[in-house]
Amino acid sequence: GGVIRLKRLVERGGYRGRWIRRAGAELCLVNPCGGVLGGDRVEIAVKVRTGGRLTVTTPAPERLYRAESGDVAQVEVRLVAEPGSCLD
């Protein structure tokens, strides 16, 4: 098998990326704050380069919160798998 390398991981705000090493590479996105609330903006961007393989997961939230203020939470996810790569 090849070498698993993480080129760059940027963490801001509530989410954290945690490596889970099994047969391949798995990145688990964890929000230790418990969830996304009204007014929150979350941006997640993942890019797998040619020849790379990556599985990205996240646990289900433990609680759901009703937004009292009417503010909307926004979650933007950008996934890029270059030719010859695998992104699950």
Side-chain angles (χ1 to χ4, degrees):
V3 175
I4 298 171
R5 266 189 223 125
L6 174 65
K7 184 167 183 173
R8 189 174 87 160
L9 175 64
V10 177
E11 301 173 324
R12 281 178 247 169
Y15 276 86
R16 299 289 177 256
R18 297 295 175 249
W19 277 108
I20 300 172
R21 294 185 186 253
R22 293 189 183 132
E26 181 176 342
L27 178 65
C28 183
L29 301 177
V30 179
N31 182 350
C33 298
V36 178
L37 301 175
D40 287 352
R41 178 169 171 76
V42 179
E43 296 180 40
I44 298 169
V46 177
K47 181 177 184 179
V48 180
R49 300 204 175 223
T50 299
R53 297 181 60 88
L54 178 65
T55 299
V56 179
T57 62
T58 186
E62 293 181 10
R63 296 185 179 162
L64 298 176
Y65 301 97
R66 177 177 298 161
E68 297 292 332
S69 64
D71 290 336
V72 175
Q74 298 178 21
V75 179
E76 180 181 330
V77 180
R78 290 184 307 271
L79 303 174
V80 176
E82 289 186 350
S85 67
C86 180
L87 175 58
D88 294 322

